[in-house]
Every structure is written in C-alpha cells, then in structure tokens.
Amino acid sequence: DTGVSQNPRHKITKRGQNVTFRCDPISEHNRLYWYRQTLGQGPEFLTYFQNEAQLEKSRLLSDRFSAERPKGSFSTLEIQRTEQGDSAMYLCASSLGLAGLQQETQYFGPGTRLLVL
Amino acid sequence: AQSVSQHNHHVILSEAASLELGCNYSYGGTVNLFWYVQYPGQHLQLLLKYFSGDPLVKGIKGFEAEFIKSKFSFNLRKPSVQWSDTAEYFCAVKPSGTYKYIFGTGTRLKVLA
C-alpha cells in the first residue's frame, strides 16, 4: 500500500503524559498536513509543512503541541502533558504541490485515535 | 471567523432518490472548494474539487457540485443514490493564499436498499 500511513493507530494514555504520533506521507509528496477530529465534527486544521518547513500553524494549537518534519519526509506530532480534552482522532494528509499553483489533492491517512484517561 | 456550514447532519434516502447536500461558507475572498467522503471504515477521500472556471464540477461516482459565488454555496448533488453511497460527507474550503483547510461538521448519509 503506497498511501499515507500513521502510527500508532490507537493510543491510550494517562493525563499528564506525553505522546508522539508519526505520519508517513506518500513518498513524492512535498506537502503535509495535520488535523484533529472530534466526535461529530469535521477535521480541524492544526499545521502545514512544505518539505521540512512548517509554514502555517493554527492559533488554536497550544504550546503543548509541536510538530516536526525534519527531512521533509515523515512527520511527528507531539502532545506534551496531555489533557482529557486532547482525546480525538489525529489525521495526517499529504499532497503534491507545484510551485505557484494552489491546486492540489490531499490524501488522508487512517488517523491515530487518542484517548486520554 | 471563517467557517463552513453543513445544515443537514443526517440524511436518510431510499435507493434511486436524488441527493442534495448543502454547504455554505463565510469568507469574502477567493476560495477553493472541496467535498470529501468517508465510507464506513475507510479514510477520508476526495470526491470533487473546484478551483476556478466552470462552477459546475463533476466528481467521482456520479457526484457533482455547483459553486454559486453570490450565495457562498457549494452544494453536492447526485441524481440517483445507491446503497453504496452510505457514508459521511464533508465540505471544505481553502481560502486562496493559505493552506488552511476549513471543514464543515459533516453530513451522515444513509441509503436504504
């Protein structure tokens, strides 16, 4: 399967612990997005990478959240000092963006479901 | 604040019925528009998209959507639904010049065989 993969698929943690999720995009895709989705809601934009540069970040993202894409390939999303309100599905998407063009198609991964007890 | 409204949260139809799902957005500038679908147990996938040109966009599986700029709407249509169209449908907007996609809350469609 050459789609977007995310690991782990499920994570249960206790409040206050740190968690890290990984996203492996489609290999030639230069753009990578992280979203959070809670029950009954659509995906909520968290952050965007173009290659290794984090170019856009939601103001809703607290300081406890950090994301990296060190070599422009896979990305990690870390949540420090988790809270029960962090329980959600965390989605990753990737796309191939061409310079100067806005057109792109995002391909989503299966998500990581986080439960904070 | 920019937002996307999907007024129908749950829709139940019989096979062969026609479908129209509403999507309205609040943003005054140029936007790119999308409909995504999530079938049970599967990833979100793109159904169709609008960037410019003909406001009537055709997507996969017989779906189409019409961009009406004056109404800030991008409604999804299908003339005759099938049981296999049972899924959750999300409308999304991306303001031009940003990479921030704004999704609606989704519409759960159930098609009865």
Side-chain angles (χ1 to χ4, degrees), chain B residues 13-19 39 61-63 78-87 89 109-113:
Chain B
L13 294 173
S14 298
E15 273 194 317
S18 63
L19 170 72
Y39 297 103
K61 304 187 179 185
F63 286 91
K78 185 170 184 179
S80 176
V81 294
Q82 300 173 309
W83 177 81
S84 58
D85 294 324
T86 294
Y89 294 81
L109 171 66
K110 185 175 178 64
V111 180
L112 304 175

Side-chain angles (χ1 to χ4, degrees), chain A residues 4 31 33 35 37 40-43 45 48 50 55-56 58 91 101-110, chain B residues 32 34 36 38 43-46 49 51-52 88 90 94-106:
Chain A
V4 178
R31 296 178 179 172
Y33 300 79
Y35 293 88
Q37 187 176 18
Q41 300 296 316
F45 172 84
Y48 160 71
Q50 184 157 300
L55 297 185
E56 202 158 350
S58 169
L91 297 169
L101 292 179
Q102 289 274 303
Q103 295 199 23
E104 63 172 1
T105 297
Q106 287 189 87
Y107 294 85
F108 280 83
Chain B
N32 303 140
F34 308 83
Y36 287 85
Q38 188 165 26
H43 312 175
L44 269 168
Q45 58 184 282
L46 183 69
K49 58 188 176 184
F51 287 97
S52 62
E88 189 159 18
F90 293 93
K94 184 170 79 68
S96 184
T98 80
Y99 293 95
K100 182 179 177 181
Y101 286 72
I102 304 162
F103 282 78
T105 53

Side-chain angles (χ1 to χ4, degrees), chain B residues 30-97:
Chain B
T30 304
V31 294
N32 303 140
L33 298 155
F34 308 83
W35 275 96
Y36 287 85
V37 61
Q38 188 165 26
Y39 297 103
Q42 295 189 26
H43 312 175
L44 269 168
Q45 58 184 282
L46 183 69
L47 202 53
L48 49 78
K49 58 188 176 184
Y50 171 81
F51 287 97
S52 62
D54 188 345
L56 185 61
V57 179
K58 294 192 184 300
I60 59 172
K61 304 187 179 185
F63 286 91
E64 65 179 30
E66 185 175 11
F67 172 45
I68 303 179
K69 190 174 181 180
S70 60
K71 295 185 177 180
F72 299 91
S73 70
F74 190 56
N75 292 355
L76 181 71
R77 299 194 293 250
K78 185 170 184 179
S80 176
V81 294
Q82 300 173 309
W83 177 81
S84 58
D85 294 324
T86 294
E88 189 159 18
Y89 294 81
F90 293 93
C91 179
V93 168
K94 184 170 79 68
S96 184

